[in-house]
Amino acid sequence: MKIMPCPLNGPRNISEFACSGEVAEMPEPNRTGDEDWADFIWMSNNTAGVVREWWCHVPTNYWFIAERDTVTDEILKTYPAGKVFTARRDFQGRDEGP
Amino acid sequence: MTAPGDFPRRSFVARKLDEAGAGFGSLGDAAVALDFGDSAAEAETARRLGLADLSPLPRTGFKGAGAVEWLAGQGVEVPAESNRAARQSGGELAARLAPGEVLVLGAPEAEADGLPAALEAAWAAEPLPPGTPRGFPLPRRDSHAWFLVSGSEAAAMFAKLCGVDLRPDKFPNLSIAQTSVARVSAIVVRDDRGGTLAYHLLTDSASAEYLWDCLLDAMVEFEGRPVGLAAVRALGDG
Amino acid sequence: MRAGSNRLPAPAGLLVDRERPVSFAWEGARYWGLAGDTLASALAANGEWILSRSFKYHRPRGVLTMAGQDANTLVQLKGEPNVPADRLPISEDLEAWGQNYSGSLKRDRNAVLARLSRFMPVGFYYRAFYRPRGIWQAFWEPIVRRSTGLGKVDRATPHGHFDKAYGFCDLAVIGGGPAGLSTALAAAGAGAEVLLVEENPVLGGSLAYARFDAEGTLAAARREALVAEVEADPKIEVMTGAVCNGWFADNWLPVIRGNRLTKVRAKEVVLATGSIEQPAIFRNNDLPGVMQGSAAQRLIRLYGVRPGRRAVVLAGDDDGYGVALDLAEAGVEVAAVVDPRPEPAPSALTEAVAGQGIEVLAGHCVAEALAGPGNRHVRGAFVSRLDGQGGAVPGGSSIACDLLCMSTGYMPTYQLALQAGAKLGCDDAGAHFSITGLPDHLRLAGSVAGATDLEAALAEGRRAGLRAAKALGLKAGSEPEVPADKGQAGANHPWPIFPHARGKDFVDFDEDLQVKDIVNAVADGYCEIELVKRFSTVGMGPSQGRHSALATARLVARATGRSVAETGVTAARPPFTGEKLGVLAGRGFEPERLTAMHHRHLEQGAQMMTAGLWWRPAYYGTKDRREDCIREEVLAVRRNVAMIDVSTLGGLEVRGPDAAEFLNRVYTFAYAKQPLGRSRYVLMTNDAGTVIDDGVACRFRDGHFYVTATTGGVDRVYRTMLWWNAQWRLDVDIANVTAATAGVNIAGPNARAVLAPLVEGADLSAEAFPYMGLREASVAGIPARLLRVGFVGELGYEVHVPASFGEALWDRLLEAGKPHGMTPFGVEAQRVLRLEKGHIIIGQDSDAMTTPDEVDMAWAIAKKKPFFVGGRSIELRRRHPSKRKLVGFTLEGADAPLPQESNLVLRNGEMVGFVTSVTRSPTLETVIGLAYTAADEAEEGAPLRIKLTSGRMVEGRVVPPHFYDPDNQRQEM
């Protein structure tokens, strides 16, 4: 069983974690055409190489980001989600200007 | 004779305690298992491997923006690091579960509600809406059952249920592991009592009976048994 | 003689206690052995050599390795098949039998199968028996199953006790031979905490049985010193009788000892797994009495058993000469040493053999082991000269013997290393192996790494131990020089394969495969080793190729004109040796969650059902009255009052200045303007616009909502909420208080009358506390939240209290309801009640594609919000309208059949939907249900054709799904 280094709880058996796929920033929904939106929702890059993934430590429900090489299955580093998502996100309405 | 049914608030394992022959006493607004017939022998058991139910004891938690700062303002010593606990002047523990989350455990020795209740009252007393962020209270007395596993064999017993290395030389006193015990999410806080290795185990209250049985089953090979609060307090006396 | 006629005097017999005779039963007769004997050694001491019959041809088989690694010694116990006799300790209550025979072990009626072997060519499973169609199942399979196989499973076997534990160490050393011992000592000396895992009952590995010098004293002296040092070292934990059965990522090792599986996490691992002696191949190489040299040595040194009276040793390397010396010392007459090497280089061992006057036949091979009556034991060796290409020259001579030892070389015990991703290399000319490409934190030491010389293995062990210590961040001394490996050049004979024209030259003893089977597999076009394995079944038996992989690789390599390294071995996968399913199952942890009222339900006669991990009351009453109980509970709600435990309902506290904004984003409806003291429906869609959960949001303060979620969905909902806010960073805190909250729903026209006397701090009148209102109050002295909700469609109150008060609340409510005749109701009645109201259950009436529009939830989608999860996708999906729609339906008539959930809805024979919920409504006295049907046939009155489970078609009618009280007058009373 692999070990996942959790930024909050330290190294733990990976059975304590759930993976939620690649980190992808959501495009502005009301400024994105149908095709691009469908691509964002339903298509996955399935990158061979280093990807940033969402992981959750289940006993604490703690979300963080792991950089993992999907070819070697090596976990390169992990860090709190706040390192990537640094500021409050608000969404633009349909009628508002950009 | 005190019985769990005398109080509207009941331990999540009250029936298990009753079946095991517990003698109950009142503690605040609930009945607590004081002993199982022989508190002196239980004190010895607790030094080898004992399981005590502390669920009726007071505890609380605070979480969210400003929680740690507010607690510090209330005179609580909050550890600087997550997954560490700090003892308070009244024997309580402040366990920092995350940068913005603290669990406060009452002292097993205390008779009254103590610090947890005082904190909850102080939080509720402040006017709403709050001027500065001060986190939010968590119903830790109801969300989590509270057991104490004590004795020299405690780490070996935990190794049958938990994938984290809790051996005393690897898991220092007042360390915290938030992990899975017998496949249930749990908070393990090491808190040696009077020189005896001991761990607080806080876990989903709805899974309390299940986990109680798992623990007793895992304890059989070490001749571990349930012990009452009296034995736990005797440990604290050294 | 109690110890057996073949028992040698002390000091032979490291493991046996001559003071403690033990009797046991074998094949129905009683025998004596010594404490410490295995079944195989005790039987050998009594001159019993046949342990089982082979898988296919029913040939007698006996001791091959004495290492518990082959299929020859698998025996049957009461209640347990396939136990290796050379690992099984004897005891007074042991009753064992041989396996796979018909009649008696010594006279097996099915031995005639061997004569039919030419009709069973390689791969015959795939070619025979299949014509005419159906004949396999009808005719051949029962016959084949009866005559092949291993032990028998006794279905009456009682359950055993198995358990699991986690283990932790700095360094795990796998293998307690010379290299493993010195590894452990070096690492522990540097301060590492070491776990030493050894398969055998004692430490020492080859030091315990093999011979390293002409005098025969070196091994024991070395062993004694090393073991004493290891046992005295407090940093080393020794597990003997334990097998590490695999290597998993990040040094996760399953170590099995007895009935316990320890899942060891090691920071560093050193594999000192040694090497496995390989059988030579010649005709009848499987006869009892033909064994590996190391097996004979183990019998002598470990058990004090003389392996025969007159021996021939096939020695392809110097170790074979050591075997000859050991045999001679044990009083076995060594008739000859047969050495395939044309001119073996002289060494201390060869010279000692010569000095004893033992005949050495260099440049010869054993072409055939001569069989005694019934193939029950070897009676001689037919020895031929070898030609320049290593082939046997026709003709030769017979040498009488009852023991034929094979010592022609080893193969590293590579399995764990290869599981870890390493590669096995082979130098064909020198016939030595190398393992490369190990992951970090995994090292090798000793003969698995190619060391054959004792001093080299010891030094390599020390070096590996020090390197591991350094990797652990410990201060370790300078590494020792590893001496040049003196033995390596001639350790393994490159081609100990002497095929015979008449066959029975076994490559794989487990599967009775001969040289021609492998050669023919290649001839049939299976050139790759993995294909040869699957076609011929080589390596698929219990010993998993430990004794056949090398020979197979050599044969395939020669047949395809490649090197052994190019041919390779088949993938190594866990487990290394057979393991019991009980060990894997171990102590099973199956968490279950109980509500605070759980025991009250049991006391009140509830039949319980699971909902995720929770136990919930299905209905109250005996199973034979199930339908009646549910009906009575439904009618109690409709006509009077009843209560249900709803503690399992999910509960989330959403608090902070952005609480309303957060709910606006994660739910489809609008919450910014929701009044205090009111609850509002919540519907959650995922980012693809599919409905995934629902509940109500209760607003207590501007910045405080209490949100319910479905029992099965709340943990996922909670986690998803945290995930979204990790990205949005709104000023809001979310807490899952599901387990902290107990809840009871009191429903029915008399609900107010029951509850009102218990409530302090809230006016329950319809005007003061309307439908969808909520209050904080005290119920029977317990702090509570009261919610007026209408899932079952009657006047109703949900009372939510802290979980530890749940049982007391239940008791007080039940007591208060007594004058009104109030009863509890269960989940089954609740499902009927909600269906009568047409409320959907997400997950039952929805699937992974359901949009809000399909289930008539468009009203729950706010139109003015700039954003909510799923909103953009719902908008997109509306441009491609769904072809289906969830509708209500009825089947008219009191005798209408009751369809089942998932029954198909058809139109012109094509599926257009399926039934999601259906019941015979006690209130409406007709069959009602929800079903997906074609969107263009979803209007009221349209026909709905359901194919029943029986295949019969039944036609219903589409109706509005609000079957009962469509104007909601009753719940708003």
Side-chain angles (χ1 to χ4, degrees), chain B residues 74-77 86-94 104-105 107 109-110 115:
Chain B
Q74 297 291 316
V76 177
E77 189 200 329
R87 185 166 321 285
Q88 311 300 306
S89 56
E92 306 89 349
L93 284 182
V104 181
L105 298 175
E109 290 75 16
L115 181 62

Side-chain angles (χ1 to χ4, degrees), chain C residues 545-610:
Chain C
R546 282 188 286 275
H547 308 108
S548 61
L550 176 57
T552 305
R554 282 172 168 158
L555 289 167
V556 172
R558 181 165 287 190
T560 57
R562 288 176 299 182
S563 70
V564 171
E566 283 164 351
T567 305
V569 290
T570 56
R573 296 187 183 91
F576 171 61
T577 65
E579 61 193 16
K580 296 181 191 176
L581 293 176
V583 166
L584 297 184
R587 174 188 276 111
F589 294 120
E590 287 169 40
E592 50 183 36
R593 306 182 80 189
L594 310 182
T595 72
M597 303 76 146
H598 180 81
H599 294 279
R600 291 294 187 248
H601 303 321
L602 299 181
E603 288 156 18
Q604 283 152 14
Q607 301 298 327
M608 304 300 286
M609 60 186 276
T610 54

Side-chain angles (χ1 to χ4, degrees), chain B residues 7-10 12 15 29 63-65 128 136-139 141-143 159-167 169-170 182-184 204-207 209-210 214 217-218 221, chain C residues 163-166 168-170 193 260 267 587 589-594 599-600 603 614 655-656 701 703 718 722 731 733-735 737 739-740 782 802-805 807-808 811:
Chain B
F7 300 86
R9 185 191 281 281
R10 288 161 206 173
F12 310 101
R15 265 180 186 70
D29 60 354
K63 170 161 112 68
L128 288 164
F136 302 94
L138 294 172
R141 243 182 131 182
D142 294 289
S143 62
K160 292 166 71 175
L161 305 176
C162 175
V164 176
D165 190 352
L166 298 177
R167 290 175 300 167
D169 56 329
K170 305 284 173 179
R183 290 184 56 207
V184 176
D204 171 36
S205 58
S207 308
E209 287 201 8
Y210 158 77
C214 281
D217 179 55
E221 76 171 277
Chain C
D163 80 352
K164 294 182 189 172
Y166 295 92
F168 311 94
C169 61
D170 291 339
E193 178 191 43
R260 175 172 284 185
K267 295 190 184 99
R587 174 188 276 111
F589 294 120
E590 287 169 40
E592 50 183 36
R593 306 182 80 189
L594 310 182
H599 294 279
R600 291 294 187 248
E603 288 156 18
W614 291 97
R655 294 176 288 193
R701 283 170 263 296
Y718 175 55
L722 295 176
D731 189 357
D733 184 74
I734 308 140
V737 294
I782 300 165
S804 44
F805 291 101
E807 191 179 82
D811 292 348

Side-chain angles (χ1 to χ4, degrees), chain B residues 88-221:
Chain B
Q88 311 300 306
S89 56
E92 306 89 349
L93 284 182
R96 188 164 196 173
L97 303 181
E101 183 174 359
V102 179
L103 166 70
V104 181
L105 298 175
E109 290 75 16
E111 285 295 338
D113 279 354
L115 181 62
L119 290 170
E120 282 174 356
W123 197 91
E126 281 191 35
L128 288 164
T132 51
R134 59 204 174 105
F136 302 94
L138 294 172
R140 291 293 191 183
R141 243 182 131 182
D142 294 289
S143 62
H144 283 68
W146 178 7
F147 302 143
L148 184 85
V149 178
S150 68
S152 50
E153 303 286 356
M157 188 281 296
F158 266 120
K160 292 166 71 175
L161 305 176
C162 175
V164 176
D165 190 352
L166 298 177
R167 290 175 300 167
D169 56 329
K170 305 284 173 179
F171 189 71
N173 202 24
L174 300 180
S175 298
I176 298 171
Q178 300 179 75
T179 179
S180 171
V181 174
R183 290 184 56 207
V184 176
S185 292
I187 303 165
V188 182
V189 186
R190 180 174 165 197
D191 177 22
D192 291 359
R193 311 206 65 80
T196 298
L197 182 63
Y199 304 88
H200 299 289
L201 173 61
L202 288 109
T203 178
D204 171 36
S205 58
S207 308
E209 287 201 8
Y210 158 77
L211 199 66
W212 180 266
D213 287 343
C214 281
L215 287 163
L216 288 183
D217 179 55
M219 288 165 76
V220 168
E221 76 171 277

Side-chain angles (χ1 to χ4, degrees), chain C residues 168-516:
Chain C
F168 311 94
C169 61
D170 291 339
L171 168 65
V173 180
I174 310 305
L181 292 169
S182 69
T183 303
L185 285 168
E193 178 191 43
V194 179
L195 175 69
L196 177 58
V197 178
E198 167 56 46
E199 212 177 349
N200 292 293
V202 294
L203 292 174
S206 58
L207 293 176
Y209 62 83
R211 190 180 189 109
F212 292 90
D213 58 342
E215 299 73 29
T217 53
L218 180 66
R222 275 296 171 84
R223 180 182 170 275
E224 222 164 279
L226 283 167
V227 171
E229 211 182 326
V230 163
E231 285 174 349
D233 194 323
K235 300 290 276 183
I236 303 175
E237 183 193 343
V238 176
M239 278 177 94
T240 50
V243 60
C244 174
N245 233 2
W247 183 95
F248 295 92
D250 292 338
N251 288 337
W252 176 255
L253 310 171
V255 177
I256 299 168
R257 175 153 69 172
N259 284 355
R260 175 172 284 185
L261 166 66
T262 305
K263 296 174 275 186
V264 175
R265 176 73 75 186
K267 295 190 184 99
E268 299 287 322
V269 170
V270 173
L271 300 176
T273 46
S275 48
I276 296 176
E277 187 162 43
Q278 298 292 308
I281 294 175
F282 48 83
R283 178 170 162 81
N284 289 336
N285 57 345
D286 65 328
L287 290 175
V290 181
M291 66 181 76
Q292 298 189 336
S294 55
Q297 289 177 311
R298 283 178 154 106
L299 280 171
I300 295 169
R301 287 238 169 71
L302 299 180
Y303 303 102
V305 172
R306 187 176 53 211
R309 292 179 183 278
R310 192 167 199 268
V312 168
V313 179
L314 173 62
D317 58 33
D318 283 4
D319 284 351
Y321 290 75
V323 171
L325 292 171
D326 278 342
L327 290 172
E329 224 170 78
V332 180
E333 181 193 344
V334 182
V337 171
V338 179
D339 193 334
R341 296 176 291 184
E343 285 173 42
S347 70
L349 291 172
T350 60
E351 278 163 18
V353 165
Q356 294 220 7
I358 296 170
E359 184 182 14
V360 174
L361 297 166
H364 281 68
C365 73
V366 172
E368 178 178 2
L370 303 170
N375 287 330
R376 284 191 287 274
H377 208 84
V378 63
R379 65 170 175 82
F382 188 81
V383 176
S384 300
R385 222 159 37 72
L386 287 170
D387 62 25
Q389 276 70 52
V393 176
S397 56
S398 300
I399 307 173
C401 65
D402 66 348
L403 172 65
L404 175 47
C405 291
M406 305 177 280
S407 289
T408 54
Y410 305 83
M411 192 174 202
T413 312
Y414 58 76
Q415 285 79 0
L416 295 180
L418 264 56
Q419 287 172 27
K423 294 273 172 288
L424 179 71
C426 179
D427 163 1
D428 286 13
H432 54 249
F433 301 91
S434 57
I435 292 173
T436 54
L438 291 157
D440 291 346
H441 313 292
L442 179 63
R443 293 174 175 76
L444 304 178
S447 62
V448 67
T452 54
D453 178 75
L454 179 59
E455 299 309 323
L458 288 166
E460 226 181 63
R462 276 195 298 280
R463 187 173 65 184
L466 292 173
R467 285 182 178 172
K470 269 185 203 154
L472 287 163
L474 298 167
K475 274 194 184 144
S478 58
E479 290 174 9
E481 289 281 309
V482 175
D485 199 332
K486 288 174 288 186
Q488 200 167 54
N492 297 320
H493 191 273
W495 192 261
I497 300 174
F498 313 108
H500 196 282
R502 284 190 293 140
K504 300 293 183 294
D505 38 10
F506 288 100
V507 176
D508 187 322
F509 292 13
D510 302 19
E511 301 275 336
D512 278 343
L513 292 169
Q514 309 164 54
V515 169
K516 66 175 181 202

Side-chain angles (χ1 to χ4, degrees), chain C residues 639-650:
Chain C
R639 294 172 184 170
N640 181 21
V641 59
M643 65 182 210
I644 181 170
D645 176 2
V646 294
S647 305
T648 63
L649 197 69

